[in-house]
């Protein structure tokens, strides 16, 4: 309703006015009646006042009000910076087709209602005796702000890096400038917001209720592993493009920079996330007083990395063997396709194998130790899951490869062999060998544990 008053346009005025009034006439009474009933119940019953549902409502309401408030502020800043670069407002990534009055009205209304709920929640913290639900929901609320602001900061840095690396791309200056302007506006909001949110979380660690929080460890695990996966994937793309650049003499350096623009602009900020939160994860694990629990959480991190590395290594070896087969047979595949296949297989292997070795070897050495720690490592549920998952994949993959191999042999004997029978037979045989090797190695490790 306020937007229709300040918009200064008459197009769609009756429809917009009627919809706004209908929302107000229905929404306000329904909210008022239920909020009055909830407040009355909380005033009469302490259990009702300290319930998790009530705490969830307060923190969900604050998120639903403050995140749009932040987005509207970002939209104003985004258009302002875009205009400073002489770029039309429509190129702003946030609020490109909105007006100043649209954003200000939305920000004011959200801030007004958020202020009411914030003061009500503050009163709840003072008067509620059982604060378990409030503490738990506040913890989730704070980490949502950490993730939200961190994503904004990553996106902003990504845009700026794309602008820096875009000198090799044949695009207009306006497009490049809009990348920088949009990235700068998101960074100017996202980084300060992340610093505030993370500092709030860090300061809360002095509270005994917040120490050794499983949610904190879960967030640190998630950010560290997400950073690992993203960085390794981007690194694989960069290595792939670099190998193709070395193998294909027709590819210029500017084409190479253009090809790695996207993965490199993703890898740098997420690499920083991995390094920063991975360091905090190690520090938090080292600070745990319970040694067996500390060892379990440490193993969980390493076995997840080992599983990712094992998968990438298996795919890389499979692609490399397929390249060798295709090169040896020269079955109508172009030289350019073979070079691309070789680059893809080597890049995948160069990323996956070091990761698997760096994660698996410490865990294997720990499990081979003939002491109490080694016994606990061998009995670890995480290790058993890892080994049996690898064994299961080896069995099922070997069965599929064997069925394919026998089927091709029978087709050949019955006189209906496909045209590329030799290539297909070698591919099936190599997959049978790979899955068999995967099964044998991990079965021997499991047998040794027993």
């Amino acid at each position: 309703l306020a937007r229709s008053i300040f918009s200064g346009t008459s197009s769609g005025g009756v429809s917009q006015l009627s919809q706004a009034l209908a929302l107000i006439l229905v929404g306000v009474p329904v909210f008022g009646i239920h909020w009055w009933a909830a407040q009355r119940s909380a005033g009469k019953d302490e259990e009702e006042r300290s319930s998790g549902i009530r705490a969830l409502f307060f923190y969900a309401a604050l998120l639903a009000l403050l995140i749009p408030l932040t987005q509207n502020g970002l939209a104003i800043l985004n258009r302002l910076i875009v205009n400073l670069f002489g770029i039309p407002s429509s190129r702003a990534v946030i609020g490109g087709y909105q007006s100043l009055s649209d954003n200000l009205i939305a920000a004011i209304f959200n801030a007004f209602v958020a202020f009411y709920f914030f003061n009500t929640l503050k009163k709840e913290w003072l008067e509620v005796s059982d604060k378990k639900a409030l503490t738990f929901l506040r913890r989730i609320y704070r980490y949502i702000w950490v993730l939200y602001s961190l994503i904004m900061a990553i996106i902003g840095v990504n845009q700026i890096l794309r602008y820096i690396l875009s000198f090799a791309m044949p695009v207009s200056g306006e497009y490049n400038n809009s990348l920088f302007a949009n990235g700068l506006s998101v960074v100017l909001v996202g980084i300060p917001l992340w610093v505030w949110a993370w500092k709030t979380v860090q300061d809360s660690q002095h509270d005994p209720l917040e120490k050794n929080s499983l949610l904190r460890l879960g967030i640190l695990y998630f950010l560290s592993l997400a950073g690992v996966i993203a960085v390794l994937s981007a690194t694989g793309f960069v290595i792939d493009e670099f190998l193709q650049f070395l193998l294909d003499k027709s590819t210029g350096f500017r084409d190479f920079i253009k090809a790695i623009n996207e993965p490199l602009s993703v890898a740098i900020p997420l690499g920083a996330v991995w390094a920063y939160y991975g360091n905090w994860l190690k520090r938090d694990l080292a600070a745990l007083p319970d040694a067996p629990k500390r060892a379990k959480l440490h193993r969980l991190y390493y076995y997840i990395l080992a599983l990712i590395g094992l998968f990438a290594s298996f795919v890389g070896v499979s692609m490399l063997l397929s390249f060798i087969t295709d090169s040896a047979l020269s079955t109508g595949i172009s030289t350019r396709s073979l070079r691309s296949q070789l680059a893809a297989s080597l890049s995948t292997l160069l990323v996956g194998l070091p990761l698997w070795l760096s994660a698996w070897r410490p865990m294997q050495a720990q499990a081979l130790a003939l002491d109490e720690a080694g016994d606990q490592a061998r009995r670890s549920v995480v290790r058993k899951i890892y080994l049996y998952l690898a064994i299961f994949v080896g069995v099922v993959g070997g069965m599929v490869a064997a069925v394919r191999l026998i089927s091709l042999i029978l087709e050949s004997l019955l006189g209906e062999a496909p045209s590329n029978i030799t290539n297909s037979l070698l591919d099936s045989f190599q997959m049978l060998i790979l899955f068999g090797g995967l099964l044998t190695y991990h079965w021997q490790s499991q047998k040794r544990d027993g």
Side-chain angles (χ1 to χ4, degrees):
L1 182 61
R3 278 177 168 175
S4 67
I5 294 172
F6 288 95
S7 63
T9 59
S10 58
S11 58
V14 174
S15 175
Q16 190 176 7
L17 178 63
S18 61
Q19 289 179 7
L21 290 173
L23 287 167
I24 292 169
L25 291 173
V26 173
V28 171
V30 172
F31 166 75
I33 291 170
H34 287 84
W35 180 240
W36 168 80
Q39 289 291 81
R40 187 182 65 171
S41 299
K44 292 180 178 179
D45 187 354
E46 174 62 26
E47 185 179 351
E48 179 71 23
R49 190 161 198 171
S50 60
S51 72
I53 298 296
R54 182 174 174 84
L56 175 63
F57 171 79
F58 278 117
Y59 283 108
L62 285 176
L63 284 174
L65 294 163
L66 293 177
I67 288 179
L69 172 62
T70 305
Q71 290 296 116
N72 279 278
L74 175 58
I76 295 172
L77 180 63
N78 198 175
R79 286 197 305 272
L80 176 63
I81 294 179
V82 163
N83 291 332
L84 287 176
F85 280 83
I87 304 170
S89 299
S90 59
R91 298 302 295 267
V93 69
I94 305 293
Y97 293 96
Q98 293 177 330
S99 64
L100 179 62
S101 63
D102 287 341
N103 297 130
L104 284 177
I105 289 167
I108 291 170
F109 272 75
N110 279 280
F112 177 76
V113 183
F115 180 74
Y116 168 75
F117 281 118
F118 179 79
N119 284 332
T120 307
L121 180 60
K122 192 175 180 181
K123 186 179 178 183
E124 295 288 309
W125 272 99
L126 294 174
E127 297 179 356
V128 171
S129 57
D130 185 2
K131 294 181 172 60
K132 289 181 181 179
L134 285 171
T135 302
F136 177 69
L137 269 300
R138 183 182 64 181
R139 188 182 303 136
I140 295 176
Y141 170 82
R142 286 172 173 173
Y143 281 109
I144 289 174
W145 276 108
V146 170
L147 294 175
Y148 167 66
S149 57
L150 183 61
I151 289 171
M152 289 177 62
I154 291 171
I155 291 173
V157 173
N158 172 264
Q159 295 279 307
I160 293 174
L161 289 173
R162 286 177 59 193
Y163 166 78
I164 295 172
L165 296 171
S166 63
F167 66 89
M169 300 176 65
V171 292
S172 65
E174 182 178 301
Y175 175 80
N176 287 340
N177 291 337
S178 65
L179 277 176
F180 181 76
N182 287 321
L184 181 61
S185 60
V186 176
V187 162
L188 288 176
V189 174
I191 290 183
L193 190 60
W194 171 77
V195 170
W196 165 79
W198 182 244
K199 185 178 183 303
T200 303
V201 167
Q202 292 294 81
D203 292 343
S204 69
Q205 294 306 298
H206 300 294
D207 187 347
L209 296 174
E210 295 291 337
K211 281 187 175 181
N212 303 327
S213 165
L214 290 178
L215 178 62
R216 176 182 173 85
L217 288 174
I219 293 293
L220 292 177
Y221 266 106
F222 169 75
L223 292 173
S224 299
L225 292 172
V228 170
I229 294 170
V231 169
L232 291 178
S233 301
T235 303
F237 280 114
V238 172
I239 295 174
D240 180 31
E241 293 295 338
F242 179 69
L243 291 174
Q244 291 195 51
F245 168 68
L246 293 179
L247 294 171
D248 190 355
K249 301 302 181 181
S250 63
T251 303
F253 181 73
R254 291 173 66 88
D255 295 326
F256 168 66
I257 296 298
K258 177 184 175 182
I260 66 171
N261 185 311
E262 287 286 347
L264 200 60
S265 61
V266 170
I268 292 173
L270 286 173
V273 170
W274 175 21
Y276 183 77
Y277 283 105
N279 179 55
W280 273 110
L281 177 61
K282 290 179 181 178
R283 291 173 63 174
D284 280 29
L285 291 178
L288 289 174
D290 187 353
K293 182 180 179 181
R294 183 169 63 245
K296 289 178 184 177
L297 293 171
H298 188 263
R299 280 194 293 268
L300 175 63
Y301 183 71
Y302 271 79
Y303 277 115
I304 292 175
L305 292 180
L307 192 62
I308 297 170
L310 179 63
F311 174 77
S313 301
F314 185 89
V315 172
V317 172
S318 173
M319 293 170 65
L320 184 60
L321 291 177
S322 180
F323 161 77
I324 295 172
T325 302
D326 293 338
S327 300
L329 296 177
S330 301
T331 53
I333 301 177
S334 65
T335 305
R336 187 179 183 87
S337 297
L338 287 174
R339 284 198 296 261
S340 177
Q341 190 176 356
L342 176 62
S345 61
L346 289 177
S347 61
T348 306
L349 194 58
L350 288 173
V351 168
L353 188 58
L355 176 64
W356 179 68
L357 290 174
S358 63
W360 170 248
R361 290 176 67 183
M363 295 297 98
Q364 186 71 343
Q366 192 180 83
L368 292 175
L370 300 177
D371 54 13
E372 185 179 353
D375 186 59
Q376 290 179 355
R378 289 187 292 273
R379 295 175 182 271
S380 167
V381 175
V382 176
R383 179 175 174 84
K384 291 177 187 292
I385 291 174
Y386 173 86
L387 290 175
Y388 278 111
L389 182 60
I391 292 170
F392 176 77
V393 171
V395 170
V396 175
M399 288 171 61
V400 172
V403 167
R404 175 64 176 162
L405 181 62
I406 294 173
S407 175
L408 288 170
I409 293 173
L410 292 176
E411 286 180 14
S412 180
L413 293 175
L414 295 173
E416 293 188 8
S419 57
N420 58 342
I421 180 65
T422 305
N423 200 334
S424 300
L425 282 171
L426 288 175
D427 284 341
S428 299
F429 182 70
Q430 77 180 27
M431 293 307 297
L432 179 62
I433 296 298
L434 283 175
F435 280 114
L438 181 72
L439 167 63
T440 303
Y441 179 78
H442 290 90
W443 178 64
Q444 288 295 332
S445 298
Q446 188 272 335
K447 188 178 179 181
R448 191 181 300 116
D449 284 357

